[in-house]
Each structure stands twice: as structure tokens, then as C-alpha cells.
Amino acid sequence: MSNTIDHLLDEDRRFPPSADFAANANGTAELYERAKADREGFWADQARELLHWHTPFTQVLDWSNPPFAKWFDDGELSVAYNCLDRHVEAGNGDRVAILFEGEPGDERRITYAELTTEVKKAANALQSLGIGHGDRVAIYLPMIPEAAIAMLACARIGAIHSVVFGGFSADSLRSRVDDAAARLVVTADGGYRKGKVSPLKPAVDQALADRGTGAQETVEHVLVVRRGGNDIEWTEGRDLWWHEALDAASDEHEATPFPAENPLYILYTSGTTGKPKGVVHSSGGYLTQAAFTNKYSLDIHPESDVFWCTADIGWVTGHTYVVYGPLALGATQVMYEGTPETPHPGRWWEIIQKYGVTILYTAPTAIRSFMKQGRQIPQQFDLSSLRLLGSVGEPINPEAWIWYRDVIGSGRTPIVDTWWQTETGATMVAPMPGVTDAKPGSAQVPLPGILVDVVDEQGATVDNGNGGLLVVTAPWPSMLRGVWGDPERFKETYWAKFAAQGYYFAGDGARKDEDGEIWLLGRVDDVMNVSGHRLSTTEIESALVAHESVAEAAVVGATDETTGKAVVAFVIVKESYLAAHSPEGLAGDLRGWVSGQIGPIARPRDIYIVSELPKTRSGKIMRRLLRDVADGHEVGDTTTLADTAVMSVISAQVK
Ligand code: PRX
């Protein structure tokens, strides 16, 4: 039995960029050549071209103590100065940085000059609370401009932020505050979600109330942004209003440069087991790749584009493609507080129409949920301003890709499918819009200056046409610098599997097509062995989504006496189909369809038509829980689900 992953699905549609798009795109084929000729020199050029250095660096990469990399180590810069002051100094202070749309419909247009002033005041306020270089600050906020302001204020004074997603519980917040020994928490009374105020401050109170935890001992102050207008409990001496602290602060603040390797932030990511890992990112290399990918892969032209990355600030996508990347370029972007369906299912499209959004960057899970509702909703809005679409977070099934391009992109916009991780800090594998002929469902090629490969269990390159494990074979500027407080875990988790080769193993399966281009196949933990064939969930899910009735699908391997594992599919059917078809008829059709599309080996043993799939708060499907249902086991730990009730609904539907 081979240890590569079998390949089932062929997709041969190709979409070259239009001549017009190619002529105006930032990215050119020449970038790949420059990077190939001298990789480190290429990154040094990017760091110099894209950023301002208070002290220029002379060293590029120091890899003398792997896996602990140093980039631009003897250089000094201020991340905040790069994202703010320099744009004002260059005469762009009146350019809008953030077009904020609150869920209730309130608006704020914040220019670079205003944002710079707010960050200066916030930096002074933090310093007056005794926060300084190296201190950890937990940020637990809704999607409001203060989230970006708080992050940049930390960067400005060399404090390390740890943003905790506002949808996480008091327990999750406490464990993160504990692990980082944070001294300050920045929160809000609440934020708007689904038409209601969802309170935040009570969770902070609860997290800090438990005696004997680190959180209770290390946190000295809680800064509270007023957003939801709730009555909240107040701990005198500890709690302070954000607006009062900023009003009292001076709006003069000199940006201090810090060494390139100064840690910028910690972001916790949950592993499959054990406590969340605090992924640590540093300053110079991170900001270089953040700015580089925003400029070339997302093709941002700061003078003319209106960019919208829909990710929450609590995820890495919100760090790199809401805060650091777009602001480093001096771009204008939309920030939206609420949910896509509030107060009506066309809210996102209304926002695109209202602000003239030109580049939309979102996740496949969102695209598939719009597919489920039907194209008539986006078609009520004018989306003609869009010129580029991006996808991130999961493999995008070819049919979802086509729907995205046809319905949202009017059949003409390029799509960039960007593969990366919290750990990689910024995009690693993605087509270059304007250069690459796009293949629906494939992330295609490593960015210039990035080296990846697909290998077997022994670390040997697989041939084109085969699947295996995706690895990064050389250090990159925005790579994680470690796991907070746990260097052993850093080595063990990411570098031990291919220690002999010195490869970073990402945990994902991938396939190289006949052109050597990369197709992500999902997490290797989800690969299933059916009659001796290693099948990826992604390809079977893509075949299901290619059926006209299916909006979303999740496939798992259930224990089977004959085949080892059997393919079991959970599908969400489009609303327009549900009324007209019986579940039994549809399930039979879909089994035949998968068999016809990719072969009898992948034919699902069972198909369950369900109304929801279990997802994490960042939208990833938790197949492990579906495996439990398929095997008839008790459903495992559901605490990281966005909606914990969903598993009982699914279990009932399956019965
Ligand atoms: O499995 C891959 C999937 O998301 C994982 C990283 O998740 P996270 O750290 O939360 O970061 C999300 C934002 C980058 C990866 O290991 N993933 C991410 N982007 C893609 C993807 N899988 C396929 N195609 C993508 N474009």
C-alpha cells in the first residue's frame, strides 16, 4: 500500500486573466524570476521597497539555529509607523483607512490622519497604565475600529498583543490570558450580532474572577470600549473606560523603532489535542510578507481600491489582511461588525454596492452558504465594482469557485485561492492574478520567494499526478518564531516529522497535478483508507458540491467491516431543491453521481441530508464529530463549535 494520497477528481477548466487585468496588475512573471535567481536578495528587496526602516538591516536570513529563524535581524523598524505615520507624512492623511459599517447601520469613515491620532492617544493611554515593551495585552473586542487601534497601539510601544476572538467563552479567554500572563485586557461592553447586543465584558469579569488562576493575578486593568450601551458590572480601580483614557491622553506620540525580531503578537490556535498553542509572530519579516502578499497576491492598488477582507480580527486573516497588510500599503478598506444575514440575507452585497468594494477576500464556508440561499439574493445588488475575489481558510470546491466567479464576480473577475496558516503568517501558495491562468479549486503555485513541496512519509518528492504531504522546504519571512513559552512544542509540532530534511510540515495533504501545481486535499488527519486506497475528503466533497442540488458537503470515513473505512457523506441541499425532492431519491442520485464523477471507490455508503454542518467559529468543518455520528459513537468534545446545539440536530436527522 502506498502512503501517498490517491487522486480522484479531474478539473480541467482554465481561466486566464483578461488582458486588461494583466496589464494593470501589480504582479508580474518577472517577480518569480527575480526570486528564483536570489531568494534572500529578493526578500531583502521586498523589505526595503515595501517598508520604512529606522535602521536599515544588513543581514537577511539567519538560519544558524534551526528551526529558530531570524530575518533582517540587525534592522530596526516601527510597525505602527509603517502602517500609519508614514502615509500621513507622504501626504495621504486624508485618505480613508477604514470604512466602518456597524451591524445596526452606523458608519464611521476614519482617515489615515485620524487613525494615526487615535493610535497615538491609545499608545499614550497604555503607557500611562504602565504597559511597555514586551508586556502582553489581551484584546477581546468585536469587529470595530478600536480592535485595530488597540493592536497598533501595542505595536507602537513594543507590547505584544494577543487577540482573543470575541465569540470565545470566558474559559477560553482565561486560559489565553493565563498562558501569556497578560497585564491588560482591552474589551467592550458588547458588540452587535444578529440584531442584538452580544455582551463581552461579563466574560472578562468571569475570566478574571476565578481565584488562583494566573489571569486574576497578572491583569491589572481592563479597558472597556463603549459599544453596546449595556449596563455592566464595574470593578473600581481595575476597570477604565477606553474613551475616558483616550480623552485624557496626549495626541503626540513618537513611534519608537524596535529590532526586526521584536515579537509583534501571539495568536492562539487550537491544535487537535491539548491546550491551544500561542503562535508567536515577529515584526520585520512578518510585515514584509504581509505587505508583499497584499500588494501582489491580492493586487491592492492603495490609490484606487476599496478592499474588504471579511475575516474577524480574532483570526490570523484579520491580523494580516485587515490590520497589518492593508494598512502597511496605505489602502482603504471596509470593516463590517456583524453577521452576513442581518438584517437581511443580502447585507454583504449591499455593503459592496454601497462602498464600491473592488476586492473581496472571504472564506469558502461563506460562499457555500450563499450558494445554499441562491443567486437571486446577490443578483439584487450592483456588484460591478468588484475586480478581484479571494478565498482562504479551506479548500474551495471547483463548483463553489465557479459560482463565486459567475455570480459574485459577474463571470469576469480572477479568483485567488490563497493557502496559508496561522503559523505561516501570510499567504504561501496562491495564483498571481494577472499572471497565472486560474484553475478552479487549486491554490496552484508558491509565491515568489516561497519554497514548498509535496512529499511522501519519508520526505521524498512525489511525482506530478500524485498526492502526499505539503511541506515548506525553506524558511520564509512571516514564519512563526515559536510557540509562546514552549520551544519544545514548536519543534515537535512542526519540525520533527521531517527533521532530517529540515522541512516544516503543515499538516495538510496536497496533490501535484500534471503541471506540478498544488491542490490542497484537507488535513491529513481526515484522510481515509477505503479498501487500501487513501482518499482525501476534499475531492469527494467537491464532487458532491458539483451536483446541482448540493450547497455543502462533508465526507468522513466510517468504520466498515469489509472496506476498512467507508465513505459517509453529510450534505446540505440547496433550498430550492428541498421542497421538490424526497431525501431518499436525492441520496440515491448523489451516490450514483459521485460514482460517475470520480469512480465506484468513492461511492458513499451512506448519505445523510442535514440542515447544518458542525463548524468551528472560523468556519472550518469538524469532521471528527461527524465521524463519531457515522460510527454510532457518542459525539466527542464540541466546545470549539460555533453552535454546540448543531450536533444534536445532526444526530437526530441521521436517526
Ligand atoms: O488546512 C489548511 C486550511 O486551513 C488551515 C490553516 O488554518 P488557520 O491556521 O486557521 O488559518 C486560516 C487562515 C489562513 C490550513 O492548514 N486552509 C487555509 N487556506 C486554505 C486551506 N486549505 C485549502 N486551501 C486554502 N486556500
Side-chain angles (χ1 to χ4, degrees):
M1 193 175 46
S2 93
N3 54 24
T4 60
I5 303 174
D6 287 343
H7 160 48
L8 303 171
L9 194 71
D10 277 312
E11 168 57 63
D12 46 26
R13 287 170 285 191
R14 298 289 178 270
F15 296 85
S18 69
D20 185 46
F21 191 99
N24 293 303
N26 288 328
T28 57
E30 191 252 346
L31 283 173
Y32 292 97
E33 282 151 34
R34 265 168 72 193
K36 211 168 158 189
D38 174 10
R39 199 178 79 94
E40 289 181 27
F42 171 80
W43 282 120
D45 289 347
Q46 297 310 323
R48 292 187 186 109
E49 283 167 27
L50 294 163
L51 305 181
H52 173 83
W53 293 83
H54 278 77
T55 310
F57 56 87
T58 62
Q59 298 156 12
V60 182
L61 169 65
D62 175 355
W63 192 231
S64 56
N65 179 28
F68 300 93
K70 291 179 182 165
W71 283 86
F72 317 123
D73 192 29
D74 61 346
E76 288 190 322
L77 80 170
S78 161
V79 169
Y81 176 85
N82 273 284
C83 293
L84 301 163
D85 314 51
R86 69 165 167 153
H87 305 311
V88 180
E89 288 169 16
N92 293 321
D94 291 339
R95 185 182 293 162
V96 174
I98 298 177
L99 293 160
F100 173 69
E101 168 102 358
E103 200 191 71
D106 53 323
E107 273 177 42
R108 281 160 74 188
R109 290 171 188 248
I110 306 174
T111 64
Y112 272 93
E114 290 163 346
L115 190 65
T116 305
T117 303
E118 286 303 291
V119 171
K120 287 178 175 177
K121 288 199 278 185
N124 282 322
L126 259 53
Q127 280 176 326
S128 70
L129 295 175
I131 302 297
H133 181 226
D135 286 334
R136 273 81 61 205
V137 175
I139 298 178
Y140 185 63
L141 283 172
M143 213 33 205
I144 54 175
E146 282 74 13
I149 295 168
M151 289 161 77
L152 289 161
C154 290
R156 197 168 184 96
I157 62 175
I160 304 169
H161 59 71
S162 161
V163 180
V164 181
F165 174 57
F168 279 145
S169 65
D171 260 355
S172 311
L173 175 64
R174 182 198 309 112
S175 66
R176 286 159 175 76
V177 169
D178 270 0
D179 187 71
R183 294 184 60 196
L184 174 72
V185 180
V186 184
T187 188
D189 46 4
Y192 289 90
R193 277 192 74 75
K194 301 192 179 168
K196 293 199 299 269
V197 173
S198 158
L200 280 173
K201 173 72 164 47
V204 177
D205 292 335
Q206 199 186 326
L208 302 188
D210 295 308
R211 295 207 164 272
T213 72
Q216 206 225 7
E217 276 141 33
T218 60
V219 173
E220 293 155 24
H221 289 105
V222 178
L223 264 181
V224 188
V225 177
R226 187 145 68 193
R227 170 69 185 149
N230 283 331
D231 284 338
I232 53 175
E233 306 249 325
W234 205 253
T235 303
E236 281 312 324
R238 186 195 73 184
D239 298 350
L240 304 158
W241 284 111
W242 167 273
H243 61 271
E244 289 178 3
L246 263 68
D247 283 349
S250 154
D251 58 7
E252 296 290 327
H253 188 279
E254 188 78 26
T256 324
F258 295 100
E261 282 298 334
N262 200 52
L264 180 61
Y265 66 83
I266 306 171
L267 186 59
Y268 287 85
T269 171
S270 38
T272 36
T273 53
K275 66 170 186 154
K277 301 181 283 281
V279 168
V280 180
H281 281 291
S282 71
S283 304
Y286 172 77
L287 199 63
T288 298
Q289 201 172 326
F292 175 79
T293 51
N294 271 269
K295 176 165 180 180
Y296 294 105
S297 168
L298 292 168
D299 195 46
I300 293 184
H301 293 65
E303 347 39 74
S304 52
D305 276 316
V306 178
F307 177 66
W308 185 18
C309 166
T310 65
D312 191 277
I313 220 101
W315 314 120
V316 73
T317 312
H319 285 58
T320 308
Y321 299 102
V322 177
V323 178
Y324 292 110
L327 297 178
L329 294 186
T332 299
Q333 68 176 314
V334 168
M335 179 187 262
Y336 171 56
E337 177 185 31
T339 50
E341 65 278 1
T342 310
H344 60 81
R347 185 69 188 272
W348 274 21
W349 320 119
E350 184 182 69
I351 290 174
I352 290 173
Q353 172 179 291
K354 173 173 173 184
Y355 295 106
V357 171
T358 57
I359 305 173
L360 176 69
Y361 189 38
T362 192
T365 181
I367 299 163
R368 290 188 301 255
S369 73
F370 296 128
M371 283 172 77
K372 173 177 151 195
Q373 294 162 352
R375 61 180 67 204
Q376 69 284 355
I377 294 170
Q379 278 170 348
Q380 289 159 23
F381 298 89
D382 178 4
L383 306 179
S384 61
S385 56
L386 288 170
R387 63 175 197 86
L388 177 66
L389 303 174
S391 171
V392 58
E394 274 185 294
I396 178 164
N397 322 106
E399 283 320 309
W401 193 104
I402 297 283
W403 189 93
Y404 194 25
R405 179 176 158 108
D406 282 350
V407 179
I408 308 305
S410 314
R412 63 180 164 75
T413 56
I415 295 183
V416 283
D417 174 9
T418 62
W419 178 85
W420 59 294
Q421 308 178 297
T422 304
E423 292 85 345
T424 70
T427 300
M428 303 291 280
V429 182
M432 183 82 78
V435 178
T436 317
D437 286 1
K439 298 177 179 174
S442 172
Q444 297 189 278
V445 283
L447 292 177
I450 299 295
L451 300 180
V452 305
D453 200 0
V454 180
V455 300
D456 65 15
E457 288 285 337
Q458 284 70 46
T461 301
V462 304
D463 293 331
N464 285 356
N466 286 335
L469 310 176
L470 182 67
V471 292
V472 187
T473 61
W476 63 102
S478 64
M479 65 196 281
L480 76 166
R481 298 304 196 261
V483 172
W484 181 257
D486 201 344
E488 280 315 310
R489 195 168 177 202
F490 172 55
K491 291 189 210 165
E492 193 48 45
T493 312
Y494 304 107
W495 304 91
K497 189 166 178 76
F498 297 112
Q501 295 84 354
Y503 294 167
Y504 167 88
F505 174 51
D508 286 345
R511 171 174 77 82
K512 284 200 270 187
D513 67 16
E514 296 308 329
D515 305 321
E517 296 193 348
I518 290 169
W519 297 69
L520 272 302
L521 296 176
R523 305 293 297 169
V524 288
D525 308 338
D526 291 330
V527 168
M528 56 203 152
N529 197 321
V530 180
S531 307
H533 297 275
R534 283 168 50 89
L535 307 185
S536 97
T537 55
T538 304
E539 292 189 318
I540 305 173
E541 288 163 4
S542 291
L544 284 162
V545 176
H547 190 271
E548 55 182 2
S549 68
V550 176
E552 276 210 79
V555 163
V556 298
T559 307
D560 188 279
E561 277 180 16
T562 3
T563 55
K565 292 285 175 200
V567 177
V568 173
F570 296 78
V571 298
I572 298 183
V573 170
K574 287 180 190 158
E575 280 163 14
S576 54
Y577 272 83
L578 270 181
H581 298 82
S582 78
E584 297 73 25
L586 267 176
D589 288 354
L590 290 173
R591 260 197 296 276
W593 168 262
V594 172
S595 203
Q597 289 277 299
I598 56 183
I601 182 75
R603 182 187 171 90
R605 184 188 73 186
D606 305 311
I607 291 196
Y608 298 114
I609 298 186
V610 292
S611 54
E612 303 279 355
L613 291 172
K615 290 185 186 159
T616 63
R617 288 179 173 81
S618 63
K620 292 192 209 297
I621 297 170
M622 289 187 72
R623 293 181 186 73
R624 158 174 77 74
L625 299 176
L626 294 174
R627 245 180 338 251
D628 291 340
V629 173
D631 279 336
H633 294 157
E634 196 171 323
V635 174
D637 182 9
T638 58
T639 47
T640 55
L641 280 181
D643 173 4
T644 44
V646 95
M647 283 319 295
S648 12
V649 175
I650 294 172
S651 302
Q653 286 170 337
V654 164
K655 277 190 195 114

